[in-house]
Amino acid sequence: MSEVVLIGRETELAALTDVLAGLRGGGAAVMLRGEPGVGKSVLLDAAARCAAADGMTVLRASGSEFEADVSYAALNQLLMPLYGRLSVLAPGPAEALAVALGFGAGPAPDVLLVCTAALLLLNAVATEQPVALLVDDIQWIDRASAVVLGFIGRRITGTSVGLLVSVRSGAEGFPQRGDMPELVIESLAAAAAEALLDTTFPRLRPPHRRRLLDLAQGNPLALLELPCTLTETVHISISRDELIPLNERLQALFTARISALPERTRRLLLLAAFEGAGELRVLRTILDTGDGLIGLADAERAQLVHIDDANARILFRHPLIRSAIVAMSTHEERRGAHIQLARAVSEDQERRAWHLAHAADGPDETVARLLETAAHRTMLRGDAFAAVVSLIRAAELSPANADRGRRLAEAAYIGAEAGGTGDTARSLLTDAHQAAPDSSGSLHAANAAAFLMLNGDGDVTTAHRLLVGAIETGDHRYRADDPALIEAMHTLLLLCWYGSAPHYWEQYFRALDRLDPEPPPILALLSKTFPDPVRTGGAVPELVATVLAALPEETDPTRIMRIGTASVYLDRLADSRQPSWRIVQQGRNGGPPRRHIGALMHLCLDDYLTGRWDEAEHLANEGQRVCDSGGFPFFAWYFRYHRALIAAGRGRFAEADELADEITHWARPRGVAAANLFARHPRVLAAMGRGDFEAGYQHAVAMSPPGVLASHVPHCTWVMFDLVESAMRTGRVAEAHAHVRAMRAAEVAALSPRMALLVAGAEVLISDDREVLTQLEAVLDAPDTERWQFETSRIRLIVGEKLRRTGAAASARPHLIAARDGFAAMNAVPWLERARNELRATGYRQGERVSPGIVPEALTPQEAVIARLAARGLTNKQIGEQLYLSHRTVGAHLYRIYPKLGVSSRAGLADALSRHLGAAAHGSADDRPG
């Protein structure tokens, strides 16, 4: 590694060169943090020279406060030198990266695809020689670029890519503190400050030297710049009583140096300051001559800028220089520069819109529309924060109060929907109302207010009434191509679902029927499959196929979430797993928390239904954290629900009940009936796991009465099998038969293979007809059935129990073994123990370990199961419900068991079983295949 000497920075430079030297063995990322002028840029320059001397590819960019609102502006700077290397990527990532960076045209790409493409490109280049990425002033880079850099920084371990970034102390942005290791750059120590001053200005008079050291306070930029302007004027400015802050003083010194430049040079520097990326190509386009950049020579000689010949860029020696150039320019000079830049970047609509916005000296509806369009394009990339900024500026430029209010209301809606309960959305709503008092009734304003209300007090009824009123009194004439109306309809659909009552839905469907010419496909599908799928979910097979077919190519996070929601009760969440994971990664990398939460909801549900319970618990915990930190307390109940389901399934019954109680206590006073109903599900599951079938029945019928699949309570289909089983085990045969008849009449089996499985399982519960069992076995053998691991295992357990009870032990064993293995994979302890007990009752003994002295014939297989259940504390009635025996039969068995084990009552069963049966009495792995 080539040596570079910086006075007083030996330790910091050594740390950076160590990072670079290690790139051939693995990537690393470091954030330099320090005050302005402390030497961060100089250290990055030194690191760049070291990397270049060592044969590395060096890519550089710097943040610009004038381009902080232009998506991917900094990434464009950084990766511009690799434009010719995009062909190393597959067509999809290459196209996404080219579009994001402005190299190509096409639809706005998915953010995660852009992140992945950038990382893949860097990795490809790094296979030839290590790559050093250096980004100065990261606090000013646009958020979209920051997301990509954060993504790269967390994934370069094991590559030959290094990332060095600098940030000002006190600056809060993204990447955030903690995203990567930090190297804090402090002011120079006294001895180093003196050495730097003496080396650079050896002839300073002692009084000036001492005063400069006092003023600079170890800031290297001040030590280098203050002596350069030590004139009569500066003598006054550095008097001992002067209290001007150091940064203002330095900027004033740069201003003095800039004032001495020719006018054409100052014009060039102003263009470069606003252009942001420092592209000489853009400056030449503006000047329209080959020799127009000659004026930069004076700025180079004044050591204000230097030219990066390799990348054809102009670089300012310090950000304060750029600030000084802008500060000393006139209004007309700034306006003219932005107009020229807007013409030069006309192919980049977003950048052009922002330059025109900066050039506007009053309301301008044309520019406002351009910014509004840019905001909508930015939203397609998932950058809600940048969209809000664009809409706010568009509102400022709106001549008409109605347009100003509308744009502020839309900004408030996007901010509330994407970012939670922040004060910004509330403030924007207030501003929208002040701009146009009637805008408070506009759809965007009502949408924003509804979201804020939901995440505030969680008042579903008031939010529903507010939004219905806005829809019914709006001037949209129910046009299906009105974006605000369609957004409002999507929000209203969710509010109706949270309310979970038919009267909520009446007003929704009245508005839906009035849409002209017809609802958009996703809204149409949601309206059939989400509110009441029992009655309408099976009527849209062609629409389902059309919408889901487009899902793999979909990049808009909002559309992905809505398609996933439309497929929940059709059990088609598997189709959206991959796009949902993309959105989760976007959220983890700083994307909008609302979409992150939605994707986690869908993944948690699919994980639960398909037996990925470890992942479901992990994602549910993540979801609760995102709700807490992202400003979305309303949605936390859904993740408590999933935690409760897994706790119930794994036998942590107290935890499941406690989480269900938390949901109920939160939901009931807020009118969130859906959450209240959902809380019944883990209670049903916990009761069934405990063998308390009476409690299981009561919780199930609280969701939907026996013989009825409740209207607009779609979740009742998820406990219909539990209702039938608990009814049969508690002697409610008529109720069980009535519920199965309702399932048949509604043709629930047509909704999905899982629903077909549950209906077939319920049929077997109420019938001893061999033909019914044959039909169920055909369903179990279907290729899609095993995906539903928990429910398949439960139904196989039921089949095994019934076959064993009728004396067909050999036929029961395959079902019971499959059930046992499925429960074991999920660690579903209560059902696993039940499956093992049933296996033993069939005489299954594969791999069983028997303690010395035990007489295997002491108890029959059924007596052994009854003894174990009684030893656990179950009553005769509960044992009978599990084994399909009367409580009197259980009692008769126990009286035969006691003398065989040498005890006189059930109180001694546990000790006797432990003594006679050893480990087998505690549900050990003795019956697992060897």
Side-chain angles (χ1 to χ4, degrees), residues 581 584 588 600 604 607 612-625 639 643 646 650:
W581 270 115
V584 168
R588 290 171 178 174
L600 287 171
C604 278
D607 283 345
R612 300 181 180 94
W613 285 10
D614 289 339
E615 182 176 276
E617 277 199 296
H618 173 74
L619 294 181
N621 287 323
E622 179 180 348
Q624 273 203 248
R625 289 194 301 271
F639 297 107
R643 289 174 55 206
I646 304 302
R650 287 181 161 170

Side-chain angles (χ1 to χ4, degrees), residues 586-721:
Q586 290 175 14
R588 290 171 178 174
N589 290 322
R594 175 69 181 90
R595 297 291 162 252
H596 187 182
I597 290 167
L600 287 171
M601 288 178 176
H602 291 167
L603 289 170
C604 278
L605 177 54
D606 192 57
D607 283 345
Y608 167 71
L609 293 174
T610 57
R612 300 181 180 94
W613 285 10
D614 289 339
E615 182 176 276
E617 277 199 296
H618 173 74
L619 294 181
N621 287 323
E622 179 180 348
Q624 273 203 248
R625 289 194 301 271
V626 175
C627 288
D628 294 340
S629 63
F632 286 96
F634 178 88
F635 300 100
W637 69 266
Y638 192 85
F639 297 107
R640 289 191 177 91
Y641 159 73
H642 276 291
R643 289 174 55 206
L645 281 181
I646 304 302
R650 287 181 161 170
R652 305 196 304 265
F653 302 129
E655 179 185 342
D657 289 339
E658 183 178 346
L659 287 165
D661 287 344
E662 287 179 17
I663 296 171
T664 300
H665 294 159
W666 174 87
R668 185 167 290 171
R670 291 171 171 81
V672 190
N676 211 29
L677 287 165
F678 268 58
R680 293 284 185 179
H681 189 182
R683 290 189 178 112
V684 169
L685 199 57
M688 301 295 280
R690 280 191 293 257
D692 186 353
F693 298 107
E694 178 63 31
Y697 178 80
Q698 296 300 336
H699 286 305
V701 298
M703 293 181 71
S704 187
V708 176
L709 296 178
S711 173
H712 296 88
V713 182
H715 206 61
C716 73
T717 59
W718 293 7
V719 297
M720 59 189 181
F721 178 82

Side-chain angles (χ1 to χ4, degrees), residues 1-5 10 12-26 43-58 129-132 134 160 162 164:
M1 181 68 66
S2 174
E3 287 195 12
V4 176
V5 178
E10 294 80 9
E12 293 89 343
L13 187 58
L16 296 182
T17 53
D18 283 348
V19 170
L20 295 172
L23 291 187
R24 299 187 189 278
L43 281 166
L44 287 181
D45 288 342
R49 293 196 298 274
C50 290
D54 205 36
M56 298 183 184
T57 298
V58 178
Q129 57 188 26
V131 176
L134 294 90
S160 294
L164 306 181

Side-chain angles (χ1 to χ4, degrees), residues 891-930:
H893 277 296
L894 284 172
Y895 281 111
R896 288 194 294 272
I897 290 168
Y898 294 155
K900 291 183 179 181
L901 295 179
V903 298
S904 58
S905 69
R906 73 172 61 214
L909 281 176
D911 288 340
L913 287 171
S914 178
R915 183 172 63 253
H916 285 280
L917 302 178
H922 302 288
S924 65
D926 56 358
D927 56 352
R928 295 177 186 172

Side-chain angles (χ1 to χ4, degrees), residues 70-76 141-150 174 383:
V70 179
S71 290
Y72 298 115
L75 194 66
N76 176 284
I141 71 172
D142 62 282
R143 186 177 180 89
S145 296
V147 167
V148 179
L149 289 177
F174 191 83
D383 194 348

Side-chain angles (χ1 to χ4, degrees), residues 454 458-468 471-472 489 491-512 531 667-674 711-712:
L454 213 56
D459 187 344
V460 171
T461 301
T462 305
H464 179 271
R465 188 186 309 122
L466 168 71
L467 198 52
V468 167
I471 291 172
E472 292 183 344
M489 290 296 293
T491 302
L492 184 59
L493 180 140
L494 290 177
L495 290 172
C496 294
W497 186 78
Y498 295 138
S500 282
H503 70 272
Y504 280 98
W505 289 104
E506 290 170 5
Q507 292 155 315
Y508 171 83
F509 283 110
R510 184 164 63 240
L512 187 77
R668 185 167 290 171
R670 291 171 171 81
V672 190
S711 173
H712 296 88

